[in-house]
Amino acid sequence: MRCDSARADEQRDGPSSGPDASGSNPPRSNRPRGGPAATLAVASIATALVLVVFTVPLTTLTSASEALGAGPGEQAWILSAMSVGAASALLGSGAIGDDYGRRRTFVAGTVVLAMASVLGALAPSALVLIVARIVQGLGGGVILACGLGLIGQAYPGPALGHAAGVWAAALGAGVAVGPILSAGLDRLGGWSLPYWLSALAAAGLAAAAQAFLTESQAADRRCVDVAGTLLLGFGMAAFLAGLTESRTGWDQPSVYVLLIGAVLLLAGFVVVERRVAGPMLDLSLFGRPDFVGATLAALASGAGVLSIMSLIPMILQRAMGVGAMTGAIVLLAWSATSAVTAFAARWIRASPTALMIGGLVACAAGQLAVYGLSADSSVLRVVPGMLLAGAANGVLNAALGWQAVASVPADRSAMGSGANNTARYLGSATGLTICAVLVTHGGAASGIAGLLSGWNMAVLVSASFSLLGALGVYLATAREQFREHRGPGDRAS
């Protein structure tokens, strides 16, 4: 059932084109502006900016904490707050973008990111900075969901694979540039300077998006699923908040209250989505092997390689006495390599499913290569494993960007992007929590020996996540591939 506002918009903009030859309603696009190349450029640059903003605390946490008097619990929240906001917004903003305009929603996300960055720069206390980081995550989630959705509309068919590689390269570029840029700006003008630069960049992207992006939306617009949006948003926020609180100890009542509340909210979300006429997430998609495979791969990517590689600068600093800038530079072995191979993945002649399985297995091999660190290990000891994991992660990101859009109906590209990125953020938050707890509480030994013992356990756990993800993708898609390869006579029998 369509909303009254949807019918009013159709009277103003003209009727939709109706069902295509396949019987489905094609997405509606209007107001041609900069063309596909402009869409790819703006969406990719914005994606890189979101990742730059995400990594700001990795190298500015110490100076920000000293300036704002943040304790261990507040520091954990500063690191994780943007994930809470992003995971809460991704799926809902993708559905809203599909129904009410991906460009319009994308622009709103850049404005929110700019305003939140200003709030972060002016933050007088750790609490205000945490709130600003959560709102930055809300804006960033909108950008990620609708940016890839816009790319999916601009590059239909086989061209999507190439465009998804560029988008995935932007992910790696943001992670590569962010920590080094933030560390340099911190030294130049203090911890708040990266937030001011983020605000200016986001404002510029809002203007560029308004000028160059072509509006697109689903031909069959639905009412906003208010109940589903709120239940999922608060459920994800409660779950990630519970994980963040657990990093300072599982014996806190707040941890259990948040996690139990998250289970109840997410269960309510499933109930609502089964009953509402226009769900924000069509649960029937979980009957599609390609959608399930892409979701499992994104979840495993976050819980596996993203989690353990994000902790390498920390282990280098605490166990080997490496400085923050050096740690950020070493991280380039993973993040920069990921950007390069994501862009080059367009020349690999393989299906997205094969790329996801191969990428996860190779990521696991790279993760295992950083096992066995000691206090006497050279910084170069971690580089080969990071290079392998980075190369595999770039290919994996390109396949995920491709399959996230290709595994949903054509007019639901932003919803597909939101669902896939939600799985990635959920996996990352879960994996980071588990690995951080293992590192800080690993083994019976104390000091550096205990830290490294915990690190080795975290490496094994993260590699297990990657391998289980590869197995899950294979099992989810094997039956469908078997059906496709059976002959007509076999299918008839």
Side-chain angles (χ1 to χ4, degrees), residues 12-356:
R12 182 180 65 250
D13 298 334
S16 64
S17 58
D20 59 17
S22 64
S24 62
N25 285 322
R28 182 172 57 195
S29 299
N30 49 41
R31 302 181 65 184
R33 296 191 176 206
T39 297
L40 182 59
V42 173
S44 297
I45 293 171
T47 296
L49 175 63
V50 172
L51 271 296
V52 168
V53 174
F54 183 82
T55 60
V56 165
L58 294 181
T59 49
T60 64
L61 182 62
T62 299
S63 57
S65 299
E66 291 175 353
L68 301 177
E74 291 169 317
Q75 290 179 34
W77 266 102
I78 292 171
L79 285 170
S80 303
M82 190 169 175
S83 291
V84 173
S88 303
L90 275 162
L91 191 51
S93 61
I96 291 172
D98 284 333
D99 287 324
Y100 291 89
R102 300 178 186 95
R103 179 181 64 85
R104 182 182 304 153
T105 311
F106 181 91
V107 171
T110 58
V111 171
V112 170
L113 181 60
M115 295 173 63
S117 297
V118 171
L119 178 62
L122 297 173
S125 65
L127 177 60
V128 175
L129 180 58
I130 290 167
V131 171
R133 291 289 294 171
I134 292 174
V135 181
Q136 281 184 321
L138 293 173
V142 174
I143 291 170
L144 290 175
C146 292
L148 187 54
L150 284 162
I151 291 172
Q153 295 304 310
Y155 291 89
L160 176 60
H162 294 172
V166 175
W167 179 84
L171 287 175
V175 176
V177 172
I180 297 176
L181 179 63
S182 298
L185 292 173
D186 186 14
R187 291 184 179 182
L188 181 65
W191 68 269
S192 65
L193 190 55
Y195 291 90
W196 286 117
L197 184 63
S198 299
L200 289 174
L205 280 167
Q210 187 68 27
F212 297 113
L213 295 185
T214 298
E215 184 61 284
S216 68
Q217 63 193 61
D220 188 12
R221 187 188 302 178
R222 304 170 300 182
C223 298
V224 175
D225 179 10
V226 177
T229 300
L230 292 177
L231 285 169
L232 180 66
F234 283 114
M236 292 293 297
F239 179 73
L240 296 179
L243 291 179
T244 300
E245 285 286 290
S246 71
R247 295 182 191 182
T248 55
W250 284 93
D251 55 347
Q252 305 172 83
S254 60
V255 174
Y256 298 100
V257 170
L258 287 167
L259 293 180
I260 293 172
V263 171
L264 294 175
L265 288 166
L266 294 175
F269 168 75
V270 173
V271 172
V272 168
E273 297 307 281
R274 286 183 177 275
R275 296 183 177 181
V276 72
M280 64 178 291
L281 176 62
D282 185 355
L283 297 182
S284 67
L285 288 172
F286 288 98
R288 293 184 55 157
D290 52 354
F291 181 83
V292 173
T295 303
L296 288 175
L299 189 68
S301 169
V305 67
L306 292 179
S307 298
I308 202 67
M309 291 298 153
S310 298
L311 292 175
I312 280 185
M314 180 273 291
I315 201 70
L316 292 179
Q317 292 177 50
R318 294 188 182 182
M320 302 178 189
V322 171
M325 179 62 82
T326 303
I329 292 173
V330 172
L331 189 63
L332 286 173
W334 171 66
S335 55
T337 304
S338 177
V340 172
T341 55
F343 185 77
R346 65 178 68 188
W347 291 294
I348 300 178
R349 301 298 181 185
S351 68
T353 297
L355 293 178
M356 289 188 294

